[in-house]
């Protein structure tokens, strides 16, 4: 078997493709032999064979483990080797951890870790003992190989259950290796720090359920580890570049531990923060000149040092800077402990001034970036966007500067102002000397101040003295560099900087900046300058008075629109955003370019698939054009036939169908009311044909919204349309569609807007639907019996809420006569309504629901009073934590109360919320004293402190770009899909409907209405109200009384 495997693997390396193919097929046959993995490991360890053959065997063994080693593997296919073969393979692999060839040693370590994931501890109980023995008495190679296994082992396989067996034997050996700098390489010691960090992270992760893990296994030894770590951070080799770079990796791993531990367990780490801060500061001062020389102001004979460690990883100065900057941010947040270091006891000394000076140095554009961005403008956009996925030293310093401003604002801004003055002065001198990099300090200075533009503009507009001399920057830097064609990055930054301060630009200068940006777009030969000018125009369009833009609107459209045809994806997004903001300036002017903009937006939409992120910008641009009343008629004539042609059952591209419906919806929304004659007939047949046959969720949702808008605009055209073949009217098809959406077999997400569709039909249909209204309401009630999704339930409830505003008695009578599966319809609706009222989204919907509930309450109908619903949760007396399994077996219990009592509770809560909202707004949006959250020190006695979630929310501005998208909603928000509701907010949708805008309920103050409602109940001595109030808790009674007295 061994010879067969050897020969077959040798043939897989043959230059003859036929021989390779035959060998690969033979290998698949050999895999079925039980001894195959043993032959592979023997060959991998055979030092007499050449390295390519050995490595090939190791690679084959790696790929063998998942599908064949154990039935525990998710990818297991079989056959599984016998137990005796497994034992032999495991024993041989452990000897491979000491192989002198790094590739083989690393491959063996990887295979050991894969097998350990499946076999440890049940079938490989002595693995940890062997690995620790290697650490104690093995050779350097054996230690290195074992460390590689442990790195995977600790991060993936050890849990808090195994920790008591692992920590006592492993941690001492890791520490011994860590401090034995003469015996072990920096790479091996780096892996010690990494393993220790992974173990600590696991303990921190389970600290809520198992706080003893930290107390027993980390707290007793953390002092020794921190002492060793601080010693490492304070060591600097200056006479050996390779060792110096290796130290960078070791220091990076050490700082990653502190960056993890300090936020989670601040009290455990407090004594080490200042020593680490001192070491980091000294290191930063030491590496800054080298970084600038090797990366920012490079020459042909000086380049940044970069070496490969023993694992083949490239290590350089940037990796160290990233974790150093992160630690400085972490230290900022420990304000009580570190402010003496940052700003001194007097608030004037400390490292802040020099740190800011250094930040501006690190923030400078590197030569590599300048070269890359000049060659690839798309990369320039991708790296320099606010929502960039890139991360580099430049971005890291931006994050650090913002953290300093957040925690030490006066000192940081003063230091920034003084540093920038010096930088500008020095750069002017360097320019006269012919220094080709003279412009970089000016560019980084403008970048740094631009980060603070919003706050500085607010201060200047309010009459406060600006802590940054923005005026001097405009006079000395911006104006001088708008025409600095030889230095495109500085010229471009000047454009962007001027636009960031658009809200405070003097009127006599605003037009000049706009003109210069337009000229740059039309005439500049530099893509970097054009891109920067586009960014500037976006800001000017949004923040300057229209009078400064209107004279240039035609030039902007003429210059920017043709760029779409020659651009790539990243640039296209920026161009589209510029066209969007420019088209809004003067709609009549924009309409003059429909013949240009219409075809461009349609071509862009066809070019980029509907699921592509860029399609969001395209859809927004189309929407802006469609809402332009001067452009919409011509745009509709141009695009409607193309869109309708794609809305077809024959179109296999369902995302395209969905997107076409969305564009059609925009055209209808932007059109007049009523719609042009015969307009509905152009799209209605195809749209309904698709909606009645598809099961695609996006198409169904978009179709519902499209029909809602069409009904609001011109329901009469729908009613008048008739299918010649079947004789069905448009109303017949819509009712059929509604019936399909309300069918229990249809998913709630696909039917999300059916309630809104029914409400629109009732409101606009009038006599057209009188005969089928009872059937509709009955179907809605049936669907409510098992509805689960709140966003689906709300529109269904709103159907009844809208009717209750003027016909609550009719609704109550109707529902009382409905019985569904033995349950009364009034019970079904009121139970759902009172359960979900507090979760309703959209101010208009909240107001309608509240007002309708007052109507139901004032009816004093005994059928309403007889219905019992869920009240307050019954709080358990036990203090034990409830697990998920326990929660399933013993769900939360609630009191039972009548509907009138529930309505009073809900409306009282609504009133309280409105009062608190007004109070918060009156207080500038802050309900509590800001000072309480300025520091993260915690007064509790536990070792973790409370670093904490509250701080993260309060100081979210210091969040780095690399961590910006912690959640999917963050990623979607950054590209225009606001999952929190702002982008697609119900209120925003409502504002598109003139009927809602004209509704008195939309305009009223809910707070005033509810106060009047409660006072009226008191004045009328309503028995129902008195009885309902009597059943409130003492806290609720007191709260309601206080609200009505004020």
């Amino acid at each position: 078997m061994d010879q067969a495997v050897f020969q077959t693997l040798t043939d897989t390396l043959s230059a003859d493709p036929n021989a390779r193919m035959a060998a690969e097929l033979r290998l698949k046959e050999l895999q079925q032999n039980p001894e195959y993995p043993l032959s592979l490991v023997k060959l991998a360890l055979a030092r007499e064979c050449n390295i390519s053959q050995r490595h090939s065997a190791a690679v084959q063994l790696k790929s063998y483990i998942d599908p064949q080693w154990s039935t525990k593997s998710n990818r297991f296919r079989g056959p599984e080797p016998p137990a005796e073969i497994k034992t032999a393979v495991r024993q041989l692999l452990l000897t491979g951890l000491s192989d002198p060839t790094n590739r083989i040693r690393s491959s063996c370590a990887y295979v050991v870790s894969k097998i350990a994931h499946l076999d440890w501890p049940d079938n490989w109980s002595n693995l940890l003992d062997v690995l620790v023995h290697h650490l104690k008495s093995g050779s350097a190679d054996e230690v290195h190989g074992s460390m590689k296994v442990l790195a995977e082992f600790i991060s993936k396989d050890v849990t808090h259950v195994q920790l008591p067996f692992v920590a006592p034997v492993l941690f001492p050996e890791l520490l011994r290796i860590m401090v034995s700098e003469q015996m072990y390489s920096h790479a091996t010691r780096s892996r010690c720090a990494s393993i220790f960090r992974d173990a600590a992270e696991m303990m921190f992760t389970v600290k809520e359920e198992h706080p003893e893990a930290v107390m027993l296994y980390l707290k007793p030894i953390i002092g020794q580890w921190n002492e060793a770590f601080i010693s490492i951070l304070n060591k600097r080799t200056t006479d050996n570049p390779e060792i110096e770079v290796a130290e960078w990796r070791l220091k990076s791993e050490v700082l990653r531990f502190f960056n993890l531990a300090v936020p989670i367990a601040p009290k455990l780490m407090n004594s080490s923060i200042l020593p680490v801060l001192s070491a980091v500061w000294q290191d930063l001062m030491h590496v800054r000149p080298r970084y600038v020389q090797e990366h920012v102001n490079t020459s042909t004979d000086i380049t940044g040092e970069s070496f490969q460690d023993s694992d083949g990883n490239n290590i350089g100065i940037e990796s160290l800077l990233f974790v150093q900057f992160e630690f400085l941010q972490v230290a900022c947040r420990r304000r009580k402990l570190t402010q003496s270091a940052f700003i001194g006891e007097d608030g004037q000394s400390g490292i802040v001034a020099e740190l800011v000076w250094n930040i501006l140095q690190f923030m400078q554009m590197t030569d590599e970036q300048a070269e890359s961005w000049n060659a690839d403008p798309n990369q320039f956009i991708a790296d320099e966007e606010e929502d960039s996925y890139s991360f580099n030293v430049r971005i890291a310093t931006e994050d650090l500067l913002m953290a300093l401003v957040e925690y030490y604002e006066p000192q940081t801004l003063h230091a920034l102002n003084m540093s920038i003055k010096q930088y500008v002065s020095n750069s002017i001198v360097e320019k006269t000397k012919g220094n080709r990099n003279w412009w970089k300090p000016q560019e980084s200075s403008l970048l740094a101040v631009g980060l603070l533009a919003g706050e500085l503009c607010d201060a200047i507009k309010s009459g406060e003295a600006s802590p940054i001399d923005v005026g001097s920057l405009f006079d000395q830097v911006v104006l001088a560099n708008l025409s600095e064609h030889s230095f495109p990055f500085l010229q471009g930054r000047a454009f962007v900087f001027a636009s960031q301060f658009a809200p405070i630009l003097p009127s006599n200068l605003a037009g000049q900046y706009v003109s210069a940006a337009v000229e740059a777009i039309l005439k500049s030969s530099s893509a970097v300058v054009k891109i920067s000018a586009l960014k500037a125009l976006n800001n000017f369009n949004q923040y300057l008075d229209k009078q400064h833009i209107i004279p240039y609107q035609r030039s902007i459209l003429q210059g920017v629109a043709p760029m779409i045809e020659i651009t790539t994806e990243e640039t296209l997004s920026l161009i589209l955003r510029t066209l969007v903001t420019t088209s809004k300036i003067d709609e009549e002017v924009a309409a003059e370019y429909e013949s240009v903009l219409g075809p461009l937006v349609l071509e862009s939409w066809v070019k980029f698939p509907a699921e592509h992120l860029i399609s969001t910008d395209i859809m927004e641009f189309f929407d802006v054009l469609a809402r332009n009343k001067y452009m919409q008629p011509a745009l509709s004539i141009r695009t409607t036939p193309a869109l309708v042609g794609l809305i077809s059952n024959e179109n296999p591209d369902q995302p395209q169908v969905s997107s076409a419906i969305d564009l059609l919806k925009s055209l209808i929304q932007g059109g007049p009311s009523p719609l042009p004659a015969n307009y509905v007939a152009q799209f209605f047949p195809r749209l309904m044909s698709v909606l009645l046959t598809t099961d695609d969720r996006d198409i169904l949702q978009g179709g519902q919204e499209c029909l809602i808008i069409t009904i609001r605009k011109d329901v009469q055209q729908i009613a008048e349309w008739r299918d010649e073949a079947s004789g069905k009217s448009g109303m017949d098809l819509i009712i059929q569609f509604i019936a399909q959406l309300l069918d229990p077999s249809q998913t709630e997400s696909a039917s999300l807007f059916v309630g809104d569709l029914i409400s629109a039909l009732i409101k606009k249909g009038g006599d057209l639907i009188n005969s089928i209204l009872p059937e509709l309401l009955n179907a809605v009630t049936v669907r409510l019996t098992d509805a689960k999704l709140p966003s689906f339930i709300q529109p269904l409830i709103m159907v009844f809420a809208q009717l209750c505003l003027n016909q609550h008695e009719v609704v109550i009578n109707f529902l009382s006569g409905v019985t569904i599966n033995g349950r009364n319809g009034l019970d079904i609706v009121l139970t759902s309504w009172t359960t979900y009222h507090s979760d309703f989204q959209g101010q208009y919907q909240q107001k309608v629901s509240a007002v309708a509930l007052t109507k139901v309450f004032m009816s004093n109908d005994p059928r309403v009073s007889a219905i019992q619903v869920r009240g307050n949760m019954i709080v358990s007396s036990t203090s034990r934590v409830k697990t998920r399994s326990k929660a399933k077996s013993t769900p939360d219990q609630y009191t039972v109360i009548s509907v009138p009592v529930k309505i009073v509770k809900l409306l009282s809560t609504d009133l309280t919320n409105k009062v608190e909202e007004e109070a918060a707004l009156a207080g500038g949006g802050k309900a509590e004293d800001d000072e309480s959250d300025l520091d993260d020190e915690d007064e509790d006695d536990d070792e973790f402190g409370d670093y904490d979630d509250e701080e993260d929310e309060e100081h979210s501005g210091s969040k780095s770009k690399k961590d910006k998208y912690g959640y999917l909603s963050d990623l979607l928000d950054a590209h225009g899909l606001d999952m929190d509701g702002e982008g697609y907010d119900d209120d925003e949708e409502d504002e598109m409907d003139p009927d809602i805008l004209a509704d008195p309920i939309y305009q009223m103050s809910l707070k005033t209405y509810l106060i009047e409602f409660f006072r009226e109940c008191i004045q009328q001595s309503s028995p129902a109200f008195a009885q309902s109030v009597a059943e409130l808790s003492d806290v609720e009674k007191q709260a309601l009384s206080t609200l009505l007295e004020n």
Side-chain angles (χ1 to χ4, degrees), residues 896-914:
V896 177
I897 57 177
S898 67
V899 166
V901 176
K902 182 71 171 183
I903 290 176
V904 170
K905 283 177 173 285
L906 292 172
L907 299 181
S908 176
T909 300
D910 285 349
L911 178 55
T912 300
N913 291 338
K914 290 301 176 185

Side-chain angles (χ1 to χ4, degrees), residues 16 46 79 157 185 204 302 350 360 369 408 471 501 591 595 674 737 763 861 906 920 962-963 967 995 1033 1038:
D16 182 357
D157 296 299
S185 69
F204 293 149
I302 298 178
L360 291 175
Q369 287 172 331
Y408 303 105
F501 288 89
S595 61
F737 180 49
K763 193 170 186 177
D861 195 303
L906 292 172
K962 66 176 178 178
D963 296 326
Y967 301 94
D995 291 336
S1033 68
Q1038 182 60 44

Side-chain angles (χ1 to χ4, degrees), residues 259-289:
N259 291 339
L260 166 75
V262 172
I264 298 176
K267 288 186 177 294
L268 199 64
M269 306 300 296
N270 270 354
S271 62
S272 300
I273 294 176
L274 284 177
V276 174
L277 177 57
S278 175
V280 168
W281 173 238
Q282 294 301 320
D283 244 356
L284 207 59
M285 297 283 286
H286 174 69
V287 301
R288 190 261 302 159

Side-chain angles (χ1 to χ4, degrees), residues 533-730:
L534 285 171
K535 291 181 179 180
L537 284 175
N538 264 310
N539 288 333
F540 287 142
N541 288 340
Q542 294 178 69
Y543 301 117
L544 277 182
D545 191 286
K546 289 184 179 181
Q547 62 173 323
H548 302 302
I549 309 293
I550 289 175
Y552 306 98
Q553 187 177 2
R554 290 182 176 85
S555 297
I556 297 172
L557 292 173
Q558 291 169 357
V560 175
M563 296 172 70
I564 288 183
E565 299 177 346
I566 59 173
T567 190
T568 52
E569 182 181 337
E570 288 81 1
T571 314
L572 177 59
S573 179
L574 178 58
I575 291 172
L576 288 170
R577 293 200 300 270
T578 306
L579 289 173
V580 165
T581 56
T582 305
S583 298
K584 292 178 179 179
I585 299 299
D586 187 320
E587 291 189 342
E588 286 191 78
V589 171
E592 297 174 12
Y593 295 88
E594 188 281 328
S595 61
V596 175
L597 301 178
L600 283 177
V601 70
L602 203 57
E603 289 167 11
S604 299
W605 175 74
V606 172
K607 181 178 180 181
F608 291 94
E611 67 271 16
H612 208 285
L613 285 174
I614 194 68
S615 68
T616 304
D617 295 317
I618 297 171
M619 300 290 282
E620 181 185 4
F621 184 36
F622 187 92
D623 192 60
V624 168
L625 301 184
R627 291 174 187 278
N628 183 332
K629 62 182 179 181
Y630 304 104
M631 187 186 295
Q632 195 275 347
L635 183 68
S636 182
I637 292 171
R638 181 185 304 279
T639 57
T640 298
L643 296 175
V644 172
L646 294 170
I647 301 173
S648 166
N649 289 317
E650 282 70 46
N651 187 347
D653 189 348
Q654 291 192 322
Q656 187 183 59
V657 174
S658 174
S659 185
I661 292 173
D662 288 338
L663 294 184
L664 178 63
K665 179 179 66 179
S666 292
L667 284 174
I668 299 169
Q669 182 69 61
S673 182
L675 295 167
N678 300 317
Y679 184 74
V680 171
Q682 294 182 50
F683 67 83
F684 189 76
R686 278 179 168 264
L687 176 63
M688 295 309 301
S689 175
V690 168
L691 294 180
L692 290 170
T693 54
T694 188
D695 59 359
D696 184 273
R697 183 195 64 183
D698 293 333
I699 292 176
L700 288 170
Q701 287 185 355
Q704 292 165 66
E705 292 182 300
C706 189
L707 289 175
I708 290 168
I709 293 171
T710 305
I711 290 169
R712 289 174 178 174
K713 288 282 185 179
D714 198 340
V715 71
Q716 196 62 39
Q717 281 200 44
I718 296 176
E720 292 172 356
W721 180 87
R722 191 167 297 275
D723 179 31
E724 294 181 359
S726 65
K728 290 184 177 181
S729 69

Side-chain angles (χ1 to χ4, degrees), residues 20 37 61 66 141 178 229 239 246 292 331 421 536 543 548 568 586 631 652 693 697 868 967 990:
R20 286 201 309 273
L61 186 58
D66 282 337
D141 287 339
M178 174 66 66
F229 284 156
D239 56 354
V292 173
K421 286 183 177 181
Y543 301 117
H548 302 302
T568 52
D586 187 320
M631 187 186 295
T693 54
R697 183 195 64 183
Q868 301 290 299
Y967 301 94
D990 292 343

